[in-house]
Structures are given as C-alpha cells and as structure tokens.
Amino acid sequence: RIIATLMQKELGVPVNVVNRTGGNGVTGHQAILSAKPDGYTIGLGTVELAMIHWMGLAKFTAADFNPIGGVNVDSAALTVKADGAWQDYKALAEDVKANAGKYTASGTAVGGIWHLAMAAWLTAAGFPSGQVRWIPSEGAASAQQEMMAGGVDMVTCSLPEVIAMVDAGKAKILAYMGDERSTKYPDVPTLKELGVPASVGTWRGISGPKGIPEDVMAVLESTLGKVVASQEFIDFMKSRGLGVRYMAAKEWGAFMVEADSQFGAIMKDAGLVK
C-alpha cells in the first residue's frame, strides 16, 4: 500500500490496491498474469511465486511475468530461546549433529518459506532433511510463542518477525541467512561466514502480465525506482524492520528466475516437489 500511495504521488493518477488472497499466493499471482497488458494492472509478486509451481499448485512460473522492479528482501534468521542451552551457532550445530531427530523447529506451514529456510540450512550443513523435525504453525508469531513455551526448539523466520522477541531479551539469533550481516544486528554472523553456504529469505517486487508496451514499461520502471529511493519509503520500511533492496526490471526478472531454481532444488531435497 505504501508503494501505491507513493506511485500515485509520482504519476498524478489514482493507484488503487485490490487484495487477492488465497491458494498460497496462486490467486493473486494469477490475477496479475491474467490482466490486460496495458500497464494499468500490476501487482506485488512475492516469494511464493518461486514455490507454488514446484508444489503442484500452479502451472505458471516467474518467467511468465513482466518484471518491473524488486523492492524488498528479508533474509531468514535462525532463532532460539535467549536463556536456552545454545548461545552460539557452533553449539547448536554440534548438538543437532549428535542428536538426529531429537530437536524440532517451526516458523510456518509445511512447504512455506521458513520451512525451506530450515531445509536449506540442514542440506548446506550436511544434515539429512529429517535431522531437525519440522512442526507446522500458522506463522512466525505462533511459532515463537510455541518456542517460548518449550514446544519447539528453534524458529526460522525473517528479522521483522522476530525483532520484538530479540529486543525484549526473550529470543536470540544464532545465524543470519543473508549474503551480508544485518545492519539491525551486526554482531550476528551469516551462515556463509560460518562455513555453511545457505542464503534464503522472502522477497517482494512489482510485476505485470507479459506484453506491456515498452514506453509504458519505461514509465512504470522509472516511477517505481523513484518510489523505492524516496525517504518516505525507506523510513516506512525501516520502521517496520523490513529490508529495502531495489532491483531494476532486468535484474528483478533474473533474480526471480534464479530464486525459482534455488527453491526447486531445496524443495526436491526436502521431498516437497509434486
């Protein structure tokens, strides 16, 4: 909605938001794909776009869309109770290695982005997919509550979803699954720094249906670039703990296609491909 508000200011015409929820993201993405390619109907593409076709929920992929620009990336955080037995990543990894199937994790439903983050960590660390058992939840908030109650041992989710618990001293981030350390928690190492080549997160960007005229695309891409670079957008995202990463149309398209391949490999290893 903040993107729509700022685009409206830039373009001088109404930019209305229509929510199309359902089907693990299928409904919304299909609405974008099926729109008339005149540039008047565009949408927020999310990380589910690189997942739902692998799960057999849709036939379309990221390559079927007309990329306009990426706006956000939020990498996963591997989180445990602050007063628990694991005070650093090494202790956790050694304990998990020595106790196959003993520990549990949560963060979302089976096949959701944070389940894939856990699966990616296990694979990159050299563990079998069942080394840590995944307990489905309705989302990161309920998963963290379960962790605080002792129902699960660890949670994978984005930084915005765990900031409140960490700042309150209830949760501790042992590793960050981004390419670089978080500016919010610069003391937390990335998995790559720890010798585990796993980088997973959620992302969002604007796309439209194939066939948008080049002159219209130029306006949309330029406008989105100005919006993401604006201080109002940056302040909005920062206040909510969300990352800002602008990618122009070509880069955004390549990013989505690469993510599709990455998630496909992770989901195959986790037995989630249908």
Side-chain angles (χ1 to χ4, degrees):
R1 289 182 180 275
I2 186 65
I3 292 173
T5 298
L6 297 178
M7 286 189 78
Q8 182 167 307
K9 288 182 180 180
E10 287 288 336
L11 295 170
V13 297
V15 180
N16 301 311
V17 176
V18 178
N19 290 325
R20 296 289 180 85
T21 60
N24 291 319
V26 174
T27 302
H29 287 105
Q30 184 63 61
I32 300 170
L33 194 64
S34 302
K36 185 178 179 180
D38 55 9
Y40 283 97
T41 301
I42 56 179
L44 189 71
T46 63
V47 68
E48 283 76 20
L49 184 55
M51 299 158 57
I52 50 181
H53 76 95
W54 292 110
M55 299 174 72
L57 299 175
K59 293 183 178 180
F60 56 77
T61 71
D64 295 316
F65 292 77
N66 196 328
I68 296 170
V71 301
N72 156 259
V73 175
D74 287 312
S75 299
L78 180 56
T79 311
V80 298
K81 289 179 68 174
D83 60 355
W86 305 310
Q87 291 304 303
D88 57 35
Y89 171 80
K90 182 179 179 181
L92 170 67
E94 289 178 348
D95 209 357
V96 166
K97 182 178 181 179
N99 296 278
K102 175 181 178 180
Y103 298 111
T104 56
S106 189
T108 188
V110 171
I113 179 60
W114 305 131
H115 182 200
L116 299 196
M118 174 57 60
W121 168 54
L122 293 175
T123 297
F127 298 135
S129 60
Q131 193 81 2
V132 174
R133 292 179 291 118
W134 186 258
I135 306 299
S137 67
E138 294 182 358
S142 59
Q144 289 173 58
Q145 292 172 0
E146 189 67 16
M147 183 174 70
M148 291 301 112
V152 296
D153 300 298
M154 62 196 85
V155 168
T156 41
C157 65
S158 67
L159 283 183
E161 294 171 308
V162 77
I163 281 176
M165 284 288 193
V166 173
D167 289 352
K170 296 180 179 180
K172 181 181 179 66
I173 302 172
L174 298 185
Y176 187 55
M177 298 189 188
D179 292 328
E180 298 177 352
R181 292 193 180 199
S182 163
T183 55
K184 172 70 175 174
Y185 302 111
D187 293 336
V188 176
T190 65
L191 279 179
K192 288 186 175 181
E193 288 178 66
L194 295 165
V196 183
S199 179
V200 180
T202 188
W203 40 259
R204 302 169 181 88
I206 303 296
S207 296
K210 287 281 191 181
I212 298 176
E214 289 186 9
D215 58 336
V216 177
M217 267 296 300
V219 173
L220 291 172
E221 184 178 10
S222 174
T223 301
L224 184 62
K226 292 176 182 177
V227 164
V228 179
S230 70
Q231 196 60 49
E232 188 172 352
F233 180 77
I234 293 170
D235 290 344
F236 176 90
M237 298 291 277
K238 185 177 180 180
S239 69
R240 288 155 177 79
L242 295 164
V244 176
R245 178 177 172 184
Y246 175 67
M247 288 173 270
K250 186 175 181 180
E251 182 186 0
W252 170 234
F255 176 89
M256 288 192 292
V257 171
E258 182 180 352
D260 185 274
S261 177
Q262 175 197 17
F263 285 130
I266 294 171
M267 294 174 78
K268 286 175 184 177
D269 285 342
L272 296 171
V273 171
K274 294 182 180 180

